[in-house]
PDB file of all heavy atoms in Angstrom:
ATOM      1  N   SER F   6      73.956 -59.818 -29.498  1.00  0.00           N
ATOM      2  CA  SER F   6      73.144 -60.446 -30.537  1.00  0.00           C
ATOM      3  C   SER F   6      73.185 -59.601 -31.793  1.00  0.00           C
ATOM      4  O   SER F   6      73.595 -58.442 -31.779  1.00  0.00           O
ATOM      5  CB  SER F   6      71.702 -60.625 -30.056  1.00  0.00           C
ATOM      6  OG  SER F   6      71.110 -59.355 -29.798  1.00  0.00           O
ATOM      7  N   PHE F   7      72.739 -60.189 -32.911  1.00  0.00           N
ATOM      8  CA  PHE F   7      72.742 -59.517 -34.196  1.00  0.00           C
ATOM      9  C   PHE F   7      71.382 -58.907 -34.482  1.00  0.00           C
ATOM     10  O   PHE F   7      70.349 -59.557 -34.321  1.00  0.00           O
ATOM     11  CB  PHE F   7      73.084 -60.503 -35.320  1.00  0.00           C
ATOM     12  CG  PHE F   7      74.425 -61.162 -35.167  1.00  0.00           C
ATOM     13  CD1 PHE F   7      74.516 -62.483 -34.758  1.00  0.00           C
ATOM     14  CD2 PHE F   7      75.588 -60.467 -35.430  1.00  0.00           C
ATOM     15  CE1 PHE F   7      75.741 -63.100 -34.615  1.00  0.00           C
ATOM     16  CE2 PHE F   7      76.822 -61.071 -35.294  1.00  0.00           C
ATOM     17  CZ  PHE F   7      76.907 -62.386 -34.888  1.00  0.00           C
ATOM     18  N   THR F   8      71.381 -57.673 -34.925  1.00  0.00           N
ATOM     19  CA  THR F   8      70.161 -57.026 -35.396  1.00  0.00           C
ATOM     20  C   THR F   8      70.486 -56.259 -36.672  1.00  0.00           C
ATOM     21  O   THR F   8      71.660 -56.056 -37.009  1.00  0.00           O
ATOM     22  CB  THR F   8      69.584 -56.054 -34.349  1.00  0.00           C
ATOM     23  OG1 THR F   8      70.558 -55.035 -34.065  1.00  0.00           O
ATOM     24  CG2 THR F   8      69.232 -56.784 -33.065  1.00  0.00           C
ATOM     25  N   ALA F   9      69.457 -55.830 -37.385  1.00  0.00           N
ATOM     26  CA  ALA F   9      69.641 -55.025 -38.589  1.00  0.00           C
ATOM     27  C   ALA F   9      69.384 -53.568 -38.238  1.00  0.00           C
ATOM     28  O   ALA F   9      68.344 -53.235 -37.668  1.00  0.00           O
ATOM     29  CB  ALA F   9      68.693 -55.487 -39.690  1.00  0.00           C
ATOM     30  N   GLY F  10      70.334 -52.711 -38.559  1.00  0.00           N
ATOM     31  CA  GLY F  10      70.184 -51.296 -38.274  1.00  0.00           C
ATOM     32  C   GLY F  10      70.804 -50.440 -39.358  1.00  0.00           C
ATOM     33  O   GLY F  10      71.798 -50.839 -39.980  1.00  0.00           O
ATOM     34  N   VAL F  11      70.215 -49.279 -39.624  1.00  0.00           N
ATOM     35  CA  VAL F  11      70.744 -48.380 -40.653  1.00  0.00           C
ATOM     36  C   VAL F  11      72.158 -47.960 -40.279  1.00  0.00           C
ATOM     37  O   VAL F  11      72.411 -47.517 -39.158  1.00  0.00           O
ATOM     38  CB  VAL F  11      69.837 -47.136 -40.805  1.00  0.00           C
ATOM     39  CG1 VAL F  11      70.456 -46.143 -41.782  1.00  0.00           C
ATOM     40  CG2 VAL F  11      68.449 -47.550 -41.281  1.00  0.00           C
ATOM     41  N   GLY F  12      73.066 -48.123 -41.222  1.00  0.00           N
ATOM     42  CA  GLY F  12      74.469 -47.792 -40.960  1.00  0.00           C
ATOM     43  C   GLY F  12      75.242 -48.913 -40.315  1.00  0.00           C
ATOM     44  O   GLY F  12      76.403 -48.729 -39.931  1.00  0.00           O
ATOM     45  N   GLY F  13      74.638 -50.083 -40.191  1.00  0.00           N
ATOM     46  CA  GLY F  13      75.299 -51.205 -39.539  1.00  0.00           C
ATOM     47  C   GLY F  13      76.582 -51.612 -40.242  1.00  0.00           C
ATOM     48  O   GLY F  13      76.665 -51.586 -41.472  1.00  0.00           O
ATOM     49  N   GLY F  14      77.574 -51.987 -39.470  1.00  0.00           N
ATOM     50  CA  GLY F  14      78.844 -52.455 -40.032  1.00  0.00           C
ATOM     51  C   GLY F  14      79.974 -51.469 -39.940  1.00  0.00           C
ATOM     52  O   GLY F  14      81.119 -51.796 -40.277  1.00  0.00           O
ATOM     53  N   LEU F  15      79.705 -50.235 -39.488  1.00  0.00           N
ATOM     54  CA  LEU F  15      80.759 -49.217 -39.448  1.00  0.00           C
ATOM     55  C   LEU F  15      81.807 -49.507 -38.376  1.00  0.00           C
ATOM     56  O   LEU F  15      82.900 -48.932 -38.409  1.00  0.00           O
ATOM     57  CB  LEU F  15      80.147 -47.834 -39.237  1.00  0.00           C
ATOM     58  CG  LEU F  15      79.264 -47.315 -40.371  1.00  0.00           C
ATOM     59  CD1 LEU F  15      78.877 -45.856 -40.111  1.00  0.00           C
ATOM     60  CD2 LEU F  15      79.959 -47.437 -41.724  1.00  0.00           C
ATOM     61  N   CYS F  16      81.489 -50.391 -37.425  1.00  0.00           N
ATOM     62  CA  CYS F  16      82.493 -50.766 -36.428  1.00  0.00           C
ATOM     63  C   CYS F  16      83.705 -51.424 -37.083  1.00  0.00           C
ATOM     64  O   CYS F  16      84.811 -51.360 -36.538  1.00  0.00           O
ATOM     65  CB  CYS F  16      81.900 -51.712 -35.393  1.00  0.00           C
ATOM     66  SG  CYS F  16      80.969 -50.880 -34.086  1.00  0.00           S
ATOM     67  N   GLN F  17      83.509 -52.058 -38.229  1.00  0.00           N
ATOM     68  CA  GLN F  17      84.664 -52.649 -38.897  1.00  0.00           C
ATOM     69  C   GLN F  17      85.671 -51.571 -39.288  1.00  0.00           C
ATOM     70  O   GLN F  17      86.890 -51.785 -39.231  1.00  0.00           O
ATOM     71  CB  GLN F  17      84.235 -53.440 -40.137  1.00  0.00           C
ATOM     72  CG  GLN F  17      85.415 -54.141 -40.820  1.00  0.00           C
ATOM     73  CD  GLN F  17      85.002 -55.067 -41.929  1.00  0.00           C
ATOM     74  OE1 GLN F  17      83.810 -55.381 -42.111  1.00  0.00           O
ATOM     75  NE2 GLN F  17      85.961 -55.543 -42.705  1.00  0.00           N
ATOM     76  N   LEU F  18      85.169 -50.405 -39.657  1.00  0.00           N
ATOM     77  CA  LEU F  18      86.051 -49.305 -40.021  1.00  0.00           C
ATOM     78  C   LEU F  18      86.742 -48.716 -38.801  1.00  0.00           C
ATOM     79  O   LEU F  18      87.949 -48.443 -38.826  1.00  0.00           O
ATOM     80  CB  LEU F  18      85.242 -48.231 -40.753  1.00  0.00           C
ATOM     81  CG  LEU F  18      86.002 -47.006 -41.261  1.00  0.00           C
ATOM     82  CD1 LEU F  18      87.171 -47.398 -42.151  1.00  0.00           C
ATOM     83  CD2 LEU F  18      85.050 -46.065 -42.008  1.00  0.00           C
ATOM     84  N   SER F  19      86.011 -48.534 -37.713  1.00  0.00           N
ATOM     85  CA  SER F  19      86.639 -48.011 -36.496  1.00  0.00           C
ATOM     86  C   SER F  19      87.653 -49.011 -35.937  1.00  0.00           C
ATOM     87  O   SER F  19      88.705 -48.626 -35.422  1.00  0.00           O
ATOM     88  CB  SER F  19      85.590 -47.649 -35.448  1.00  0.00           C
ATOM     89  OG  SER F  19      84.821 -48.778 -35.078  1.00  0.00           O
ATOM     90  N   ASN F  20      87.341 -50.316 -36.038  1.00  0.00           N
ATOM     91  CA  ASN F  20      88.297 -51.336 -35.610  1.00  0.00           C
ATOM     92  C   ASN F  20      89.596 -51.241 -36.396  1.00  0.00           C
ATOM     93  O   ASN F  20      90.701 -51.306 -35.835  1.00  0.00           O
ATOM     94  CB  ASN F  20      87.707 -52.736 -35.804  1.00  0.00           C
ATOM     95  CG  ASN F  20      86.587 -53.054 -34.835  1.00  0.00           C
ATOM     96  OD1 ASN F  20      86.441 -52.425 -33.789  1.00  0.00           O
ATOM     97  ND2 ASN F  20      85.777 -54.036 -35.184  1.00  0.00           N
ATOM     98  N   LEU F  21      89.469 -51.102 -37.712  1.00  0.00           N
ATOM     99  CA  LEU F  21      90.635 -51.008 -38.593  1.00  0.00           C
ATOM    100  C   LEU F  21      91.491 -49.795 -38.243  1.00  0.00           C
ATOM    101  O   LEU F  21      92.725 -49.890 -38.122  1.00  0.00           O
ATOM    102  CB  LEU F  21      90.172 -50.927 -40.047  1.00  0.00           C
ATOM    103  CG  LEU F  21      91.269 -50.771 -41.096  1.00  0.00           C
ATOM    104  CD1 LEU F  21      91.852 -52.129 -41.465  1.00  0.00           C
ATOM    105  CD2 LEU F  21      90.726 -50.085 -42.355  1.00  0.00           C
ATOM    106  N   ILE F  22      90.850 -48.647 -38.065  1.00  0.00           N
ATOM    107  CA  ILE F  22      91.588 -47.417 -37.773  1.00  0.00           C
ATOM    108  C   ILE F  22      92.289 -47.523 -36.424  1.00  0.00           C
ATOM    109  O   ILE F  22      93.448 -47.123 -36.271  1.00  0.00           O
ATOM    110  CB  ILE F  22      90.644 -46.200 -37.814  1.00  0.00           C
ATOM    111  CG1 ILE F  22      90.085 -46.017 -39.232  1.00  0.00           C
ATOM    112  CG2 ILE F  22      91.362 -44.932 -37.358  1.00  0.00           C
ATOM    113  CD1 ILE F  22      88.971 -44.989 -39.316  1.00  0.00           C
ATOM    114  N   TYR F  23      91.601 -48.078 -35.430  1.00  0.00           N
ATOM    115  CA  TYR F  23      92.187 -48.227 -34.099  1.00  0.00           C
ATOM    116  C   TYR F  23      93.422 -49.120 -34.143  1.00  0.00           C
ATOM    117  O   TYR F  23      94.470 -48.781 -33.580  1.00  0.00           O
ATOM    118  CB  TYR F  23      91.152 -48.798 -33.144  1.00  0.00           C
ATOM    119  CG  TYR F  23      91.675 -49.075 -31.749  1.00  0.00           C
ATOM    120  CD1 TYR F  23      91.967 -48.037 -30.872  1.00  0.00           C
ATOM    121  CD2 TYR F  23      91.874 -50.385 -31.310  1.00  0.00           C
ATOM    122  CE1 TYR F  23      92.438 -48.289 -29.589  1.00  0.00           C
ATOM    123  CE2 TYR F  23      92.347 -50.650 -30.032  1.00  0.00           C
ATOM    124  CZ  TYR F  23      92.630 -49.594 -29.181  1.00  0.00           C
ATOM    125  OH  TYR F  23      93.105 -49.852 -27.918  1.00  0.00           O
ATOM    126  N   TRP F  24      93.310 -50.269 -34.815  1.00  0.00           N
ATOM    127  CA  TRP F  24      94.433 -51.199 -34.893  1.00  0.00           C
ATOM    128  C   TRP F  24      95.631 -50.565 -35.601  1.00  0.00           C
ATOM    129  O   TRP F  24      96.777 -50.702 -35.155  1.00  0.00           O
ATOM    130  CB  TRP F  24      94.003 -52.475 -35.608  1.00  0.00           C
ATOM    131  CG  TRP F  24      95.103 -53.479 -35.786  1.00  0.00           C
ATOM    132  CD1 TRP F  24      95.714 -53.824 -36.948  1.00  0.00           C
ATOM    133  CD2 TRP F  24      95.713 -54.278 -34.766  1.00  0.00           C
ATOM    134  NE1 TRP F  24      96.668 -54.787 -36.733  1.00  0.00           N
ATOM    135  CE2 TRP F  24      96.688 -55.080 -35.387  1.00  0.00           C
ATOM    136  CE3 TRP F  24      95.522 -54.390 -33.384  1.00  0.00           C
ATOM    137  CZ2 TRP F  24      97.483 -55.988 -34.684  1.00  0.00           C
ATOM    138  CZ3 TRP F  24      96.316 -55.292 -32.685  1.00  0.00           C
ATOM    139  CH2 TRP F  24      97.274 -56.073 -33.323  1.00  0.00           C
ATOM    140  N   MET F  25      95.384 -49.859 -36.692  1.00  0.00           N
ATOM    141  CA  MET F  25      96.492 -49.196 -37.385  1.00  0.00           C
ATOM    142  C   MET F  25      97.124 -48.120 -36.514  1.00  0.00           C
ATOM    143  O   MET F  25      98.351 -47.950 -36.500  1.00  0.00           O
ATOM    144  CB  MET F  25      96.003 -48.578 -38.700  1.00  0.00           C
ATOM    145  CG  MET F  25      95.588 -49.569 -39.760  1.00  0.00           C
ATOM    146  SD  MET F  25      95.402 -48.798 -41.390  1.00  0.00           S
ATOM    147  CE  MET F  25      94.162 -47.547 -41.053  1.00  0.00           C
ATOM    148  N   THR F  26      96.294 -47.383 -35.782  1.00  0.00           N
ATOM    149  CA  THR F  26      96.802 -46.284 -34.961  1.00  0.00           C
ATOM    150  C   THR F  26      97.731 -46.791 -33.863  1.00  0.00           C
ATOM    151  O   THR F  26      98.684 -46.112 -33.479  1.00  0.00           O
ATOM    152  CB  THR F  26      95.638 -45.487 -34.359  1.00  0.00           C
ATOM    153  OG1 THR F  26      94.777 -45.036 -35.413  1.00  0.00           O
ATOM    154  CG2 THR F  26      96.136 -44.275 -33.583  1.00  0.00           C
ATOM    155  N   LEU F  27      97.475 -48.000 -33.359  1.00  0.00           N
ATOM    156  CA  LEU F  27      98.363 -48.583 -32.360  1.00  0.00           C
ATOM    157  C   LEU F  27      99.776 -48.788 -32.899  1.00  0.00           C
ATOM    158  O   LEU F  27     100.729 -48.917 -32.135  1.00  0.00           O
ATOM    159  CB  LEU F  27      97.805 -49.934 -31.875  1.00  0.00           C
ATOM    160  CG  LEU F  27      96.535 -49.892 -31.021  1.00  0.00           C
ATOM    161  CD1 LEU F  27      96.099 -51.315 -30.673  1.00  0.00           C
ATOM    162  CD2 LEU F  27      96.739 -49.068 -29.754  1.00  0.00           C
ATOM    163  N   HIS F  28      99.916 -48.787 -34.221  1.00  0.00           N
ATOM    164  CA  HIS F  28     101.222 -48.975 -34.859  1.00  0.00           C
ATOM    165  C   HIS F  28     101.807 -47.641 -35.335  1.00  0.00           C
ATOM    166  O   HIS F  28     102.636 -47.610 -36.245  1.00  0.00           O
ATOM    167  CB  HIS F  28     101.092 -49.942 -36.039  1.00  0.00           C
ATOM    168  CG  HIS F  28     100.730 -51.337 -35.620  1.00  0.00           C
ATOM    169  ND1 HIS F  28      99.431 -51.729 -35.387  1.00  0.00           N
ATOM    170  CD2 HIS F  28     101.501 -52.425 -35.370  1.00  0.00           C
ATOM    171  CE1 HIS F  28      99.411 -53.010 -35.030  1.00  0.00           C
ATOM    172  NE2 HIS F  28     100.656 -53.446 -35.009  1.00  0.00           N
ATOM    173  N   THR F  29     101.362 -46.554 -34.738  1.00  0.00           N
ATOM    174  CA  THR F  29     101.882 -45.223 -35.063  1.00  0.00           C
ATOM    175  C   THR F  29     102.218 -44.480 -33.777  1.00  0.00           C
ATOM    176  O   THR F  29     101.964 -44.967 -32.680  1.00  0.00           O
ATOM    177  CB  THR F  29     100.849 -44.403 -35.857  1.00  0.00           C
ATOM    178  OG1 THR F  29      99.795 -43.978 -34.964  1.00  0.00           O
ATOM    179  CG2 THR F  29     100.246 -45.202 -37.009  1.00  0.00           C
ATOM    180  N   SER F  30     102.735 -43.253 -33.933  1.00  0.00           N
ATOM    181  CA  SER F  30     103.033 -42.394 -32.779  1.00  0.00           C
ATOM    182  C   SER F  30     101.866 -41.493 -32.415  1.00  0.00           C
ATOM    183  O   SER F  30     101.998 -40.623 -31.552  1.00  0.00           O
ATOM    184  CB  SER F  30     104.273 -41.540 -33.078  1.00  0.00           C
ATOM    185  OG  SER F  30     105.416 -42.366 -33.233  1.00  0.00           O
ATOM    186  N   LEU F  31     100.708 -41.682 -33.045  1.00  0.00           N
ATOM    187  CA  LEU F  31      99.517 -40.913 -32.713  1.00  0.00           C
ATOM    188  C   LEU F  31      98.972 -41.351 -31.353  1.00  0.00           C
ATOM    189  O   LEU F  31      99.219 -42.473 -30.900  1.00  0.00           O
ATOM    190  CB  LEU F  31      98.455 -41.091 -33.787  1.00  0.00           C
ATOM    191  CG  LEU F  31      98.822 -40.570 -35.181  1.00  0.00           C
ATOM    192  CD1 LEU F  31      97.796 -41.019 -36.221  1.00  0.00           C
ATOM    193  CD2 LEU F  31      98.936 -39.047 -35.171  1.00  0.00           C
ATOM    194  N   THR F  32      98.199 -40.469 -30.703  1.00  0.00           N
ATOM    195  CA  THR F  32      97.694 -40.717 -29.352  1.00  0.00           C
ATOM    196  C   THR F  32      96.190 -40.976 -29.395  1.00  0.00           C
ATOM    197  O   THR F  32      95.422 -40.124 -29.874  1.00  0.00           O
ATOM    198  CB  THR F  32      97.978 -39.515 -28.432  1.00  0.00           C
ATOM    199  OG1 THR F  32      99.381 -39.244 -28.425  1.00  0.00           O
ATOM    200  CG2 THR F  32      97.505 -39.791 -27.020  1.00  0.00           C
ATOM    201  N   ILE F  33      95.759 -42.113 -28.910  1.00  0.00           N
ATOM    202  CA  ILE F  33      94.332 -42.447 -28.847  1.00  0.00           C
ATOM    203  C   ILE F  33      93.770 -41.873 -27.555  1.00  0.00           C
ATOM    204  O   ILE F  33      94.185 -42.256 -26.464  1.00  0.00           O
ATOM    205  CB  ILE F  33      94.117 -43.962 -28.898  1.00  0.00           C
ATOM    206  CG1 ILE F  33      94.656 -44.517 -30.218  1.00  0.00           C
ATOM    207  CG2 ILE F  33      92.635 -44.304 -28.733  1.00  0.00           C
ATOM    208  CD1 ILE F  33      94.841 -46.006 -30.230  1.00  0.00           C
ATOM    209  N   ILE F  34      92.848 -40.928 -27.671  1.00  0.00           N
ATOM    210  CA  ILE F  34      92.306 -40.260 -26.482  1.00  0.00           C
ATOM    211  C   ILE F  34      90.890 -40.721 -26.136  1.00  0.00           C
ATOM    212  O   ILE F  34      90.402 -40.455 -25.038  1.00  0.00           O
ATOM    213  CB  ILE F  34      92.344 -38.730 -26.624  1.00  0.00           C
ATOM    214  CG1 ILE F  34      91.495 -38.261 -27.807  1.00  0.00           C
ATOM    215  CG2 ILE F  34      93.775 -38.236 -26.762  1.00  0.00           C
ATOM    216  CD1 ILE F  34      91.356 -36.744 -27.876  1.00  0.00           C
ATOM    217  N   GLU F  35      90.216 -41.378 -27.058  1.00  0.00           N
ATOM    218  CA  GLU F  35      88.904 -41.961 -26.751  1.00  0.00           C
ATOM    219  C   GLU F  35      88.721 -43.234 -27.543  1.00  0.00           C
ATOM    220  O   GLU F  35      88.807 -43.237 -28.771  1.00  0.00           O
ATOM    221  CB  GLU F  35      87.755 -40.992 -27.055  1.00  0.00           C
ATOM    222  CG  GLU F  35      86.394 -41.587 -26.703  1.00  0.00           C
ATOM    223  CD  GLU F  35      85.227 -40.645 -26.952  1.00  0.00           C
ATOM    224  OE1 GLU F  35      85.457 -39.423 -27.065  1.00  0.00           O
ATOM    225  OE2 GLU F  35      84.081 -41.131 -27.031  1.00  0.00           O
ATOM    226  N   ARG F  36      88.503 -44.300 -26.828  1.00  0.00           N
ATOM    227  CA  ARG F  36      88.235 -45.601 -27.456  1.00  0.00           C
ATOM    228  C   ARG F  36      87.334 -46.392 -26.529  1.00  0.00           C
ATOM    229  O   ARG F  36      87.530 -46.410 -25.325  1.00  0.00           O
ATOM    230  CB  ARG F  36      89.536 -46.344 -27.710  1.00  0.00           C
ATOM    231  CG  ARG F  36      89.351 -47.805 -28.162  1.00  0.00           C
ATOM    232  CD  ARG F  36      89.533 -48.784 -27.006  1.00  0.00           C
ATOM    233  NE  ARG F  36      89.400 -50.171 -27.434  1.00  0.00           N
ATOM    234  CZ  ARG F  36      89.485 -51.213 -26.621  1.00  0.00           C
ATOM    235  NH1 ARG F  36      89.696 -51.038 -25.321  1.00  0.00           N
ATOM    236  NH2 ARG F  36      89.344 -52.439 -27.080  1.00  0.00           N
ATOM    237  N   TRP F  37      86.311 -47.014 -27.083  1.00  0.00           N
ATOM    238  CA  TRP F  37      85.367 -47.811 -26.303  1.00  0.00           C
ATOM    239  C   TRP F  37      85.517 -49.276 -26.687  1.00  0.00           C
ATOM    240  O   TRP F  37      85.550 -49.613 -27.872  1.00  0.00           O
ATOM    241  CB  TRP F  37      83.933 -47.358 -26.565  1.00  0.00           C
ATOM    242  CG  TRP F  37      83.671 -45.949 -26.153  1.00  0.00           C
ATOM    243  CD1 TRP F  37      84.048 -44.804 -26.817  1.00  0.00           C
ATOM    244  CD2 TRP F  37      82.981 -45.507 -24.980  1.00  0.00           C
ATOM    245  NE1 TRP F  37      83.635 -43.689 -26.145  1.00  0.00           N
ATOM    246  CE2 TRP F  37      82.978 -44.084 -25.007  1.00  0.00           C
ATOM    247  CE3 TRP F  37      82.361 -46.164 -23.921  1.00  0.00           C
ATOM    248  CZ2 TRP F  37      82.383 -43.330 -24.009  1.00  0.00           C
ATOM    249  CZ3 TRP F  37      81.770 -45.414 -22.933  1.00  0.00           C
ATOM    250  CH2 TRP F  37      81.775 -44.017 -22.983  1.00  0.00           C
ATOM    251  N   ARG F  38      85.596 -50.136 -25.685  1.00  0.00           N
ATOM    252  CA  ARG F  38      85.737 -51.556 -25.962  1.00  0.00           C
ATOM    253  C   ARG F  38      84.364 -52.198 -26.163  1.00  0.00           C
ATOM    254  O   ARG F  38      83.337 -51.688 -25.680  1.00  0.00           O
ATOM    255  CB  ARG F  38      86.464 -52.259 -24.808  1.00  0.00           C
ATOM    256  CG  ARG F  38      85.718 -52.234 -23.479  1.00  0.00           C
ATOM    257  CD  ARG F  38      86.451 -53.075 -22.436  1.00  0.00           C
ATOM    258  NE  ARG F  38      85.737 -53.063 -21.156  1.00  0.00           N
ATOM    259  CZ  ARG F  38      86.165 -52.452 -20.076  1.00  0.00           C
ATOM    260  NH1 ARG F  38      87.297 -51.769 -20.121  1.00  0.00           N
ATOM    261  NH2 ARG F  38      85.478 -52.502 -18.952  1.00  0.00           N
ATOM    262  N   HIS F  39      84.350 -53.319 -26.849  1.00  0.00           N
ATOM    263  CA  HIS F  39      83.132 -54.102 -27.001  1.00  0.00           C
ATOM    264  C   HIS F  39      82.809 -54.776 -25.669  1.00  0.00           C
ATOM    265  O   HIS F  39      83.691 -55.319 -25.009  1.00  0.00           O
ATOM    266  CB  HIS F  39      83.305 -55.155 -28.099  1.00  0.00           C
ATOM    267  CG  HIS F  39      83.467 -54.575 -29.468  1.00  0.00           C
ATOM    268  ND1 HIS F  39      82.400 -54.299 -30.291  1.00  0.00           N
ATOM    269  CD2 HIS F  39      84.574 -54.199 -30.158  1.00  0.00           C
ATOM    270  CE1 HIS F  39      82.842 -53.794 -31.431  1.00  0.00           C
ATOM    271  NE2 HIS F  39      84.157 -53.722 -31.375  1.00  0.00           N
TER     272      HIS F  39
END
């Protein structure tokens, strides 16, 4: 569900970084799914 919280919306940034990283040779060592 949707709620209002301080700092809300930062998951969009982590989503973006994760997706880009999948297209590189970098190694993802910690990622949590929704």
Side-chain angles (χ1 to χ4, degrees):
S6 63
F7 301 105
T8 60
V11 175
L15 294 188
C16 278
Q17 183 172 349
L18 182 55
S19 60
N20 290 341
L21 178 84
I22 296 170
Y23 176 72
W24 178 251
M25 292 194 302
T26 304
L27 290 178
H28 294 84
T29 74
S30 296
L31 296 170
T32 303
I33 299 164
I34 61 172
E35 181 178 342
R36 171 261 182 182
W37 297 77
R38 64 174 180 250
H39 294 271

